Structures are given as C-alpha cells and as structure tokens.
C-alpha cells in the first residue's frame, strides 16, 4: 500500500483509494465499512470501505478474508495483496485521520466528539463511492456506539441503499472483514513509518501498541512530555491518558474557555444600580483596548 | 516604530516586549536602577547611557507609574501596557507568560509639571521651579527640569515673574483651562482622523434603537476627548474643564432601556418602538429618558425633581403587579 501521500503531510486527513473496477459501476454492489485505531492514544485512526458486486461476493469469501483481529500482521498483508490482485472486482478507499486532526476536532471551541467524527468519516467514504459511480445497493457497517441510531442516521442519509449496522459486523460479513483488513494494514504501516513533525533528537519509537492500557505506551508518553508543548503531534491530546499526564508533568495552560473557577469579573447585578460614587475608572478608550499605565517596571 | 525584545539570560528572566518610537537615541537602552529590568542592565553594559526608566507621579491618580526618559533629547515617554486575559508570548526559543505589550509613547511633560504646580499653588505665591518640582516619593521628578524649552512650555499654564534674572512661577487656572481646551480640540481632530468610535451607543451592542444610525455627534467627540485628557489631570481640574467646555453633566443616567416587565400592563400596546409610551403612569419620566441622548444639553437644564429613579422599576410594587398579570 502506497502511503507516501500521508507521509508528506500527516497533520490532517488523507484519502487513499484503489481504482474503481468497471464492473462495480454496472452491477449492484455490496459495501463494507470498518475502522482501525479508534482506541489508541497514539497514531492515526483509519476508516476503510471495501466494495464488490453482489454477484462476486462468493469470490471474496473464497479469499478467506476474516476479522482482522483474528489474523496476524503477515496474514493481513498477504490478504490485502490478494485483494489488490483481484482489483478487477474489489475496490477500496481509505480515510486516514491524523492524531493531530483527532486532537484538534475534539478539543476545539465547539466540541466534536469521536463518535461524530467517526460517523461523518464513514458517511464521507460511502458518499465517495457513490460519487465515483459505484452502484452501491447494500452497506454493512461495524458499529460505533448503539447500532440502532447509527443505522437510522445512515439510512436517512442514503435512502436508496439498504443499510445494515451491526456489532461485530467484521466477523459476520466478508465485505466488512475485507474493509477491516484494509484499515488495519494502513494503520500499521502509518504507525510504523510515522514521520514526526517535531525536530526531536533520539526519539525512541518503541511505544508498544499505542493503547492506553499498554504499560509500554504509558512509559513512552511520560518520557516524551515537554513542559511547555506537552507531547509530539503523534499523540492524541484529547485522550484522558494524555491529559492526566499533562496535568501532572507539564506546565498549566489557561485558555479562553478554561474552567478556572475564578469568579473574577462576576458582579452582583445590584451593583450596577447603586447610586454611590464609583471609583474613577480609566477612560473607556483605554479600557476597550486593554491598556493601562505601567507600574511594575 | 521598532519592536525591542531581548533578554539573553536564559528562560528564567522576565522578558518585556516593547514598542518604542524609532528615534535616533532609542537603541541606547539603559537602566537606572530598576531591578526588574535585568535585560536593560545587560544592555547598559554594552551601550552608552541614553534612555532610562523612571518612576514618576501619575498626574491623574497621584500614584507612581513608569515613564521612559530619553536623556539625549531629552524627552518624556509614558508607558502603557496592553494586558488581556489568556495571552502569552513565544519569543524565539522561550515562553513569556502574561502576553503584555508595552508601549512607550511621547508624553506632554506639562501634565506632570501641572501636578506639581497645582500642589505648590496651595501656598499661593510665586516660586522658582526647583522649589515647585520636588517630591520625596518620586525624587526623579527633577529630571523634568532638564526638559528643553521649559519656560516656553510653562507659559501655557502659569503666571511668571522675573526678579534678578531668576524666574518665579505661579499656577494659573485660567491659562490652564485655555490650554486644556486646545488639547481637547487637538484630541478631537485626532479622534476623527483615526475613526475612533466615540458615540455612547457603542457601549451596548445589545441595545437596539429604531432611529437611523446617526454618525457620532460633535458633542460626543468633545465628551470623549475630555475623558481622554482627564486621564492626565486630577479629578478637580477635570471637573473644571468640563464646566469650562460647557459639557452637560456626564450621563449619570445613561438611557437605560425600559424594563421589559412594564410591557405587561392593562393599557393597550401599540407596535411602536417606545412601548412604554402608554404606560401613562410613567409617561412623563420615560419620555424624558428616551430623549436624553438626543438632547443631553437640554437635559442638563431640566428640573429633575419629578423624575423617578431607575430603582423604582425594580421595586416590590411592580413585581407584584407583574405576577398578577402573569397569573391571568
């Protein structure tokens, strides 16, 4: 899999895709959606779709694609190569969301949670397939959150398509298994060859699985805290694990929307109506511009 | 303007971000014993003395504030600090918390001299300047005496006598007010060229009024300029200046939008901007109130004896009445 485009700039999102097999534009197709790297505190989250004509579903099953979690890395690589070989009827597309994009989305002034980000990415990929002329008839999705509401939402978004959202769909439907293999292969490769934006010397890349429960990952995080900047962009700042380490090891930062609990500036409403002489405040010209006379120099 | 930032003593020393006028002498930053400014000390080792930070009196409050004094011109600069919540600087390879931005801007030294002249005026006699400009709290005030063309400056605000080739000065309120009026006019001109929003209306963007957006009035400019000049003179003089300029009373009662609760009355309500109009009980008051910005001058002369205070709208009587209405 060629991830060079991601490696050029891994601070945003990156879409990769196979050429669309011509048969997929003629025959009704089945499409699977799955993701890899939802839980880790490190690295990107990858969303993948895989599609093939309904008539060739048996051929996809013959490849013995199965839930990516039950396969070893080498088996996954082998299966992905096979799918590439069968490019005449199997197509795929990926959306790689960088850890930086995940952090900035979730920590923005308007909170954009991981579920919404996931759903929107999945929807975007299905739409992409439709835009490419793929005749999508059925969509199978491995669920994120409660399957009922997710299915309802996707069904509303794509009324002409039969949508099925199910937990463990990657074990039940071969087309979802195939998508999960694409996602997992892409994520593994992205993490392995991650190009750090930061100019860090002697950065050790032995960070374990990247999941918060991994002691190796936790140790790596603690070793890579900068008191001012925190972590490199490879880390998802929005993860609880990352935040608690920052709270302990890094300097405090107050933002415009930080809840500092300070009541400064909150006056009783009555104080605005009092008749008493008010202190001579600086002229509004200075107040409006945040200017005051220097006294501490 | 030039930005001056430097420290060079590692992350621990406090760094100050300065905007100073691009004057020939300004690269000669130096320190006159202000321990807070470590970087200036550093600079003074390298450069000849030219500029120094001094603590002098703030003519408005009488408290001590910082000034910058340029020894080579000599010239006085006031220092203003931009200070807002949640700001920090990244300066090269360091972080400076606070996000303060310091401005050194030229200051008319006459404002400072006035502070001492007014103080000395209590003795009511002509005095030599070195007896006037004396301060135990801020001994650096003698620097003011080094300023060029001091005598010419003082003509604006003092009466003077010359005996044995020595000059004696006495504060003159009349001259000072005349001089301040010129200052106000100059400030007004500057406000206009810089498009400063002086209207009272900008104070609340949430309050909408139906009448067409009037551009700022001359009177608003005078009041605004008077307010700005008042930042540099004591309160008493500011009040005197206000009278001298024939400014109406400051808007002690800024036209508050009438309480919304008043709408809940038994009287018919017409779809007009002034929806309290038919609240006959308050008709007089409200009418006067709403006219205020339009004719503040008139207001100043109005007999206020019959007017209700804003507090009355929050009184128990109204609350009760409204509750009754709500139950219907």
């Amino acid at each position: 899999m060629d991830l060079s485009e991601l490696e050029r700039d891994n601070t945003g999102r990156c879409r990769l895709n196979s050429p669309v097999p011509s048969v997929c534009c003629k025959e009704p197709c089945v499409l699977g959606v799955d993701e890899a790297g939802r839980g880790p505190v490190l690295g990107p989250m990858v969303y993948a779709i895989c599609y093939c004509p309904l008539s060739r579903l048996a051929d996809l099953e013959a490849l013995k694609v199965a839930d990516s979690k039950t396969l070893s890395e080498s088996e996954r690589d082998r299966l992905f190569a096979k799918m590439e070989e069968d490019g005449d009827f199997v197509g795929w597309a990926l959306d790689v969301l960088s850890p930086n994009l995940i952090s900035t989305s979730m920590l923005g002034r308007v909170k954009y949670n991981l579920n919404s980000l996931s759903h929107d990415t999945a929807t975007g990929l299905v739409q992409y397939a439709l835009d490419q002329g793929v005749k999508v008839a059925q969509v199978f999705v491995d669920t994120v959150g409660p399957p009922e509401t997710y299915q309802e939402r996707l069904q509303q978004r794509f009324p002409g398509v039969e949508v099925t959202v199910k937990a463990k769909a990657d074990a039940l439907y071969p087309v979802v298994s195939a998508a999960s293999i694409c996602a997992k292969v892409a994520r593994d490769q992205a993490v392995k060859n991650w190009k750090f934006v930061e100019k860090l010397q002697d950065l050790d890349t032995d960070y374990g699985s990247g999941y918060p429960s991994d002691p190796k990952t936790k140790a790596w995080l603690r070793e890579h805290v900068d008191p001012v900047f925190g972590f490199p962009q490879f880390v998802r700042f929005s993860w609880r694990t990352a935040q608690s380490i920052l709270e302990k090891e890094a300097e405090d930062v107050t933002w415009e929307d930080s809840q500092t609990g300070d009541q400064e500036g909150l006056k009783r409403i009555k104080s605005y109506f009092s008749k008493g002489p008010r202190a001579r405040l600086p002229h509004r010209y200075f107040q409006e511009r945040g200017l005051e006379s220097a006294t501490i120099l | 303007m030039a930005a001056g930032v430097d420290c060079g003593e590692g992350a621990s020393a406090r760094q100050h971000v300065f905007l100073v006028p691009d004057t020939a002498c300004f690269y000669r930053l130096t320190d006159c014993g202000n321990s807070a400014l470590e970087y200036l000390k550093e600079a003074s080792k390298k450069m000849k003395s030219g500029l120094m930070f001094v603590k002098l009196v703030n003519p408005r409050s009488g408290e001590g504030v910082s000034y910058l004094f340029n020894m080579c011109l000599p010239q006085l600069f006031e220092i203003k600090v931009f200070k807002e919540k949640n700001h920090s600087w990244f300066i090269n390879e360091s972080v400076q918390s606070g996000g303060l931005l310091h401005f050194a801007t030229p200051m008319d030294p006459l404002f400072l001299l006035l502070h001492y002249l007014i103080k000395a005026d209590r003795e009511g006699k002509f005095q030599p300047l070195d007896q006037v400009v004396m301060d135990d709290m801020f001994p650096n005030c003698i620097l003011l005496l080094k300023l060029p063309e001091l005598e010419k400056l003082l003509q604006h605000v003092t009466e003077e006598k010359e005996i044995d080739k020595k000059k004696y000065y006495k504060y003159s309120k009349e001259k000072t007010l005349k001089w301040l009026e010129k200052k106000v006019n100059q400030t007004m001109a500057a406000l206009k060229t810089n498009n400063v929003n002086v209207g009272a209306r900008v104070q609340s963007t949430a309050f909408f009024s139906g009448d067409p957006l009037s551009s700022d009035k001359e009177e608003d400019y005078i009041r605004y300029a008077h307010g700005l000049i008042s930042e540099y003179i004591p309160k008493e003089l500011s009040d005197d200046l206000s009278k001298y300029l024939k400014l109406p009373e400051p808007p002690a009662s800024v036209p508050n939008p009438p309480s919304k609760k008043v709408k809940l009355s038994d009287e018919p309500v017409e779809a007009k901007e002034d929806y309290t109009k038919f609240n006959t009980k308050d008709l007089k008051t409200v009418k006067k109130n709403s006219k205020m910005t339009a004719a503040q001058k008139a207001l100043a002369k109005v007999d206020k004896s019959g007017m209700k205070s804003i507090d009355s709208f929050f009184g128990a009587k109204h609350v009760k009445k409204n509750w009754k209405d709500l139950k219907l």
Side-chain angles (χ1 to χ4, degrees), chain B residues 201-300:
Chain B
R201 203 149 283 159
V202 293
Q203 278 182 342
S204 168
T205 44
F207 177 58
F208 286 100
S209 141
D211 49 307
L213 197 85
S214 56
S215 53
D216 294 328
K217 290 181 214 75
E218 198 67 6
E219 189 190 300
D220 291 330
Y221 277 104
I222 301 175
R223 188 191 297 287
Y224 199 97
H226 169 261
L228 269 178
I229 295 296
S230 298
E231 287 290 300
Y232 298 90
I233 53 176
K235 172 93 170 70
E236 299 74 42
L237 192 52
S238 165
D239 293 344
D240 288 341
L241 180 60
S242 175
K243 280 181 205 130
Y244 185 78
L245 296 169
K246 299 189 184 68
L247 279 178
E249 285 282 296
S253 41
V254 175
N256 284 302
S259 166
K260 276 192 177 173
K261 285 181 177 171
V262 179
K263 220 161 55 168
L264 299 169
S265 70
D266 302 329
E267 265 74 46
V269 176
E270 256 179 44
K272 273 200 174 177
E273 189 217 6
D274 187 4
Y275 50 69
T276 55
K277 203 174 160 187
F278 294 91
N279 232 350
T280 44
K281 196 175 64 179
D282 296 319
L283 178 58
K284 261 188 161 175
T285 324
V286 175
K287 253 201 160 169
K288 273 176 198 163
N289 249 330
S290 63
K291 267 198 170 174
M292 227 141 45
T293 27
Q296 272 161 328
K297 266 185 181 160
L299 175 81

Side-chain angles (χ1 to χ4, degrees), chain A residues 228-229 254-257 262 264 273-275 278 280-286 288-297, chain B residues 16 18 37 55 60 64-66 79-83 86 90 95 197-199 202 224 227-228 230-231 233 235 311 314:
Chain A
V228 172
F229 298 101
T254 326
W255 300 98
E256 205 64 53
D257 55 352
D262 86 281
E264 197 192 326
F273 296 101
S274 68
K275 279 180 187 163
R278 264 174 246 172
R280 205 179 158 206
L281 291 166
H283 188 254
R284 124 184 182 224
Y285 178 87
F286 296 111
E288 283 165 5
R289 286 157 182 78
L291 292 171
E292 48 189 72
S293 290
T295 52
I296 40 142
L297 272 170
Chain B
H16 297 264
F18 257 92
L37 279 174
K55 197 148 228 182
R60 172 188 187 257
V65 290
S66 301
I79 298 170
K80 289 276 181 198
V81 194
F82 167 79
K83 194 191 223 169
N86 306 322
F90 279 103
V95 182
N197 225 337
V198 297
V202 293
Y224 199 97
L228 269 178
S230 298
E231 287 290 300
I233 53 176
K235 172 93 170 70
D311 280 5
F314 297 90

Side-chain angles (χ1 to χ4, degrees), chain A:
Chain A
M1 189 183 294
D2 181 21
L3 289 181
S4 57
E5 201 173 320
L6 171 72
E7 281 156 18
R8 256 201 304 282
D9 172 26
N10 57 21
T11 57
R13 65 199 305 162
C14 172
R15 182 167 290 170
L16 299 161
N17 56 275
S18 70
V20 179
S22 57
V23 63
C24 293
C25 298
K26 291 178 205 123
E27 288 186 37
C29 289
V30 56
L31 186 145
V33 184
D34 199 14
E35 123 289 317
R38 199 177 138 78
V41 63
L42 301 177
M45 177 166 78
V46 182
Y47 257 81
I49 55 164
C50 211
Y51 51 89
C52 74
L54 273 165
S55 58
R56 305 288 299 268
L57 206 52
D59 295 321
L60 191 67
E61 272 175 273
L63 288 178
K64 294 218 169 57
V65 290
D67 174 12
S68 66
K69 282 177 209 103
T70 63
L71 302 169
S72 71
E73 196 178 335
S74 58
E75 276 177 303
R76 286 195 300 261
D77 287 343
R78 188 180 55 80
L79 283 169
F80 182 73
K82 263 183 152 178
M83 283 197 287
E84 295 248 82
E85 265 173 49
D86 292 330
D88 58 327
F89 73 96
V90 183
W92 53 266
L94 292 173
D95 208 348
V96 186
L97 311 183
S98 71
N100 185 50
L101 178 88
I102 296 169
S103 302
T104 50
S105 300
M106 292 173 73
L107 298 173
R109 274 304 273 275
V110 178
K111 303 288 172 264
Y112 184 34
N113 70 29
L114 193 67
N115 271 6
S116 310
L117 183 63
S118 301
H119 291 169
D120 293 346
T121 306
T123 313
L125 280 169
V126 175
Q127 186 62 50
Y128 166 80
L130 291 168
D131 293 345
Q132 295 295 304
V134 178
K135 277 196 158 178
V136 182
Q138 292 176 13
V139 171
F140 292 95
V141 187
D142 195 7
T143 190
V144 169
E148 294 81 15
T149 48
Y150 192 14
Q151 172 157 338
E152 204 175 299
R153 202 182 319 172
L154 279 172
Q155 191 65 72
Q156 260 174 15
R157 179 75 169 72
F158 303 107
V161 177
E162 188 191 327
V163 180
T164 311
V165 179
K166 249 190 192 153
K168 301 216 173 78
D170 53 348
L172 295 168
Y173 309 102
V175 75
V176 181
S177 308
S180 89
I181 288 168
C182 293
K184 190 79 175 144
V185 168
R187 153 118 183 140
D188 285 347
Q189 204 173 317
V191 170
K192 208 181 279 173
N193 301 324
W194 193 260
K195 290 233 166 44
F196 284 84
V197 189
E198 293 79 12
K199 291 184 188 103
L200 296 172
Q201 283 153 9
D202 314 320
L203 187 95
D204 85 86
T205 49
D206 186 19
Y207 30 72
S209 68
Y211 279 86
S213 52
D214 187 339
K216 225 173 173 180
T217 301
K218 267 193 172 167
W220 186 89
L221 282 172
R222 241 171 292 176
E223 272 165 40
H224 292 84
V225 189
D226 181 280
V228 172
F229 298 101
F231 299 111
Q233 280 187 18
F234 186 55
V235 178
R236 300 182 190 172
F237 280 67
S238 44
W239 256 237
R240 193 62 244 164
T241 327
Q243 282 174 3
S244 28
I245 293 174
L246 287 179
E247 275 161 25
K248 260 184 258 150
E249 315 275 339
E251 293 293 327
D252 289 333
V253 181
T254 326
W255 300 98
E256 205 64 53
D257 55 352
S258 299
Q259 274 160 7
T260 48
D262 86 281
Q263 297 284 300
E264 197 192 326
L266 286 181
K267 274 200 266 178
R268 285 180 62 87
I269 188 109
K270 263 189 161 175
S271 69
Y272 292 97
F273 296 101
S274 68
K275 279 180 187 163
R278 264 174 246 172
R280 205 179 158 206
L281 291 166
H283 188 254
R284 124 184 182 224
Y285 178 87
F286 296 111
Q287 285 192 57
E288 283 165 5
R289 286 157 182 78
L291 292 171
E292 48 189 72
S293 290
T295 52
I296 40 142
L297 272 170

